């Protein structure tokens, strides 16, 4: 695999790209979206060919890992085609983050199309709580989806849980038992202040990774491991289970110094940082005339100079970034 040609002003090498393939979703999770959302008109959304071209260009610049996300990637109709195309690029890692609602029918086609790993979001094992967090989601479908992913032969399945104090923090032990039983990894995430929400006060709902670790430790000893996925999660193991337990702590543990990633929104905005507005419009390059691969490559290389040193999320619950996570690409 070629060495990454993407290095920023702080000496960080970028070799991981998260591509958002849609801003739409069949859920309306309270921390991610408002109840009433206006989604992008079709002409503003990148076509499958445009997304693939961006992916190919990043790979030619040394990208080794691509994650497809959204919105909910599985609501995009041509998603299998896109996975099949990107699956031919020889990536070291090719993953997707999904809410799991369509995995009963999609897990096997995704696996066959070349997807290597799945992250599945799961914030509650209580059907009523699950419905209130996701507003439109049905727990049983997601649980069946997780089983379908295991049956389809996905090895690196990971659950993602956003922990909210007074919301689902009491379910942390049950979620750990569930992950152990299903033999899948689980990562607990601190809520980030992306987009304005009215359901809860993000400042008050923040449950730090330290607090979640303390809850888990009441039931299991957690053994720190140096393993990392090249990302912001810190991992632990348990002596009596093969699964990994991860913690992503944008508030309590700043992970910016080792950041190796950028994001591309479904409008083709290249975001250099999750917690900042710095971006470059790749769609304009793609739809300009003449479009050349060299021009796209050079735009991406030049954009590295805009990557900020770090994000500055605060814990007072204020919105710091106006775009919602479904626009950012989680
Ligand atoms: N729809 C897919 C899903 O839910 O997995 C993929 C997109 S979603 C935006 C990606 C991840 O971001 C999910 O695990 C979700 O829980 C997380 N997320 C969304 N909004 C967040 C926020 N404000 N803070 C922290 N995590 C958030
Ligand atoms: Fe949809 Fe994922 Fe956002 Fe929930 S977190 S509303 S499933 S995009």
């Amino acid at each position: 695999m070629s060495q990454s040609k993407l290095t920023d002003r702080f000496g960080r090498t970028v070799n991981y790209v998260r591509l958002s393939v849609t801003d739409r979703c069949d859920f309306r999770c309270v921390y991610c979206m408002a109840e009433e959302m206006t989604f992008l008109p079709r002409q503003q959304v990148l076509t499958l060919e445009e997304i693939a071209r961006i992916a190919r260009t990043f790979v030619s610049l040394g990208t080794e890992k691509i994650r497809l996300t959204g919105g909910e990637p599985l609501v995009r109709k041509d998603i299998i085609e896109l996975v099949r195309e990107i699956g031919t690029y020889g990536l070291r890692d090719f993953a997707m983050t999904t809410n799991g609602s369509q995995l009963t029918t999609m897990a096997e086609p995704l696996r066959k199309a070349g997807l290597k790993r799945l992250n599945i979001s799961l914030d509650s094992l209580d059907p009523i709580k699950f419905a209130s967090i996701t507003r439109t989601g049905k727990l049983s479908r997601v649980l069946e989806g997780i089983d379908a992913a295991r049956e389809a032969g996905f090895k690196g399945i990971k659950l993602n849980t956003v922990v909210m104090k007074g919301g689902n923090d009491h379910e942390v032990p049950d979620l750990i038992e569930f992950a152990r039983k299903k033999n899948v990894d689980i990562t607990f995430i601190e809520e980030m202040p992306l987009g304005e929400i009215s359901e809860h006060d993000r400042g008050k709902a923040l449950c730090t990774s330290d607090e979640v670790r303390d809850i888990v430790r009441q039931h299991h000893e957690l053994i720190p491991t140096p393993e990392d996925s090249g990302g912001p999660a810190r991992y632990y193991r348990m002596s009596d289970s093969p699964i990994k337990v991860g913690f992503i702590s944008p508030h309590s543990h700043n992970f910016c110094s080792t950041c190796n990633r950028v994001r591309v929104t479904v409008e083709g905005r290249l975001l250099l940082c999750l917690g900042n507005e710095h971006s470059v419009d790749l769609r304009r390059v793609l739809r300009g005339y003449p479009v050349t691969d060299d021009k796209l490559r050079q735009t991406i290389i030049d954009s590295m100079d805009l990557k900020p040193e770090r994000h500055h999320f605060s814990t007072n619950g204020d919105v710091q970034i106006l775009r919602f996570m479904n626009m950012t690409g989680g």
Side-chain angles (χ1 to χ4, degrees):
M1 184 63 61
S2 58
Q3 273 232 308
S4 178
K5 297 173 184 68
L6 299 177
T7 308
D8 75 0
R9 292 171 297 148
F10 305 98
R12 294 171 299 192
T13 298
V14 169
N15 57 11
Y16 176 14
V17 181
R18 292 190 175 210
L19 295 174
S20 177
V21 300
T22 179
D23 61 328
R24 288 162 199 261
C25 186
D26 49 344
F27 289 4
R28 295 284 184 278
C29 302
V30 290
Y31 48 72
C32 177
M33 289 195 187
E35 192 152 18
E36 298 295 326
M37 294 288 289
T38 309
F39 294 109
L40 294 167
R42 182 180 285 255
Q43 66 277 15
Q44 289 185 28
V45 168
L46 296 182
T47 62
L48 181 144
E49 290 73 22
E50 288 170 330
I51 297 176
R53 190 167 189 177
I54 290 175
R56 233 180 8 252
T57 306
F58 269 103
V59 173
S60 78
L61 291 166
T63 289
E64 299 177 325
K65 175 171 175 180
I66 288 181
R67 173 177 298 281
L68 301 180
T69 180
E72 172 48 40
L74 296 183
V75 304
R76 181 150 180 159
K77 290 210 167 51
D78 48 14
I79 189 70
I80 295 290
E81 226 177 302
L82 182 65
V83 169
R84 197 173 295 122
E85 167 67 22
I86 295 179
T88 63
Y89 297 171
L91 290 160
R92 182 170 57 77
D93 194 9
F94 182 26
M96 177 183 285
T97 307
T98 170
N99 65 23
S101 72
Q102 299 194 48
L103 283 176
T104 44
T105 52
M106 299 291 271
E108 200 170 320
L110 286 170
R111 182 92 182 103
K112 287 197 173 135
L115 192 72
K116 296 188 179 171
R117 288 192 311 115
L118 273 174
N119 283 10
I120 306 170
S121 298
L122 182 69
D123 294 334
S124 175
L125 291 166
D126 166 357
I128 295 171
K129 179 64 105 190
F130 186 87
S132 84
I133 294 176
T134 60
R135 292 202 189 96
T136 57
K138 198 159 173 239
L139 176 65
S140 56
R141 277 183 68 89
V142 174
L143 297 182
E144 284 161 22
I146 293 170
D147 285 338
R150 294 169 69 227
E151 279 155 27
F154 279 101
K155 290 284 177 293
I157 300 176
K158 194 177 82 178
L159 304 178
N160 277 343
T161 303
V162 176
V163 186
M164 290 158 281
K165 207 173 266 178
N168 59 350
D169 53 340
H170 63 286
E171 288 198 58
V172 167
D174 288 350
L175 286 158
I176 287 273
E177 290 322 311
F178 178 80
R180 285 163 59 96
K181 193 171 95 196
K182 298 285 177 187
N183 199 14
V184 295
D185 295 338
I186 184 162
T187 292
F188 296 102
I189 306 172
E190 290 177 355
E191 185 176 343
M192 287 174 267
L194 301 174
E196 188 156 10
I197 56 166
S198 55
E199 270 69 16
H200 62 260
D201 178 333
R202 291 199 206 257
K204 289 200 183 108
L206 176 66
C207 192
T208 67
S209 293
D210 282 344
E211 291 171 304
V212 180
R213 256 189 303 267
D214 285 346
I215 301 174
V216 179
R217 282 192 172 121
Q218 289 168 20
H219 304 265
H220 299 283
E221 189 191 351
L222 286 177
I223 306 155
T225 94
E227 296 165 80
D228 79 273
S229 58
R234 288 178 166 183
Y235 289 106
Y236 295 78
R237 293 227 174 235
M238 291 172 279
S239 60
D240 58 349
S241 163
I243 73 161
K244 270 192 303 190
V245 182
F247 297 88
I248 298 186
S249 330
H251 294 284
S252 55
H253 163 60
N254 190 282
F255 45 71
C256 303
S257 63
T258 56
C259 182
N260 64 345
R261 64 196 55 194
V262 293
R263 293 171 165 78
V264 182
T265 73
V266 72
E267 288 178 284
R269 266 207 302 152
L270 170 57
L271 301 175
L272 284 310
C273 172
L274 179 63
N276 283 280
E277 300 286 5
H278 305 68
S279 70
V280 171
D281 188 354
L282 297 182
R283 190 182 63 194
R284 206 161 51 120
V285 179
L286 281 169
R287 294 184 184 176
Y289 182 79
V291 193
T292 64
D293 284 341
D294 278 351
K295 194 165 173 200
L296 188 58
R297 274 167 66 89
Q298 199 55 49
T299 306
I300 293 172
I301 292 169
D302 293 345
S303 72
M304 291 300 125
D305 280 351
L306 291 178
K307 191 166 167 64
E309 187 170 14
R310 53 167 298 176
H311 67 67
H312 293 278
F313 291 143
S314 81
T315 53
N316 62 7
D318 288 352
V319 188
Q320 282 136 34
I321 294 288
L322 290 174
R323 38 164 218 268
F324 280 103
M325 194 65 149
N326 74 305
M327 289 303 297
T328 299

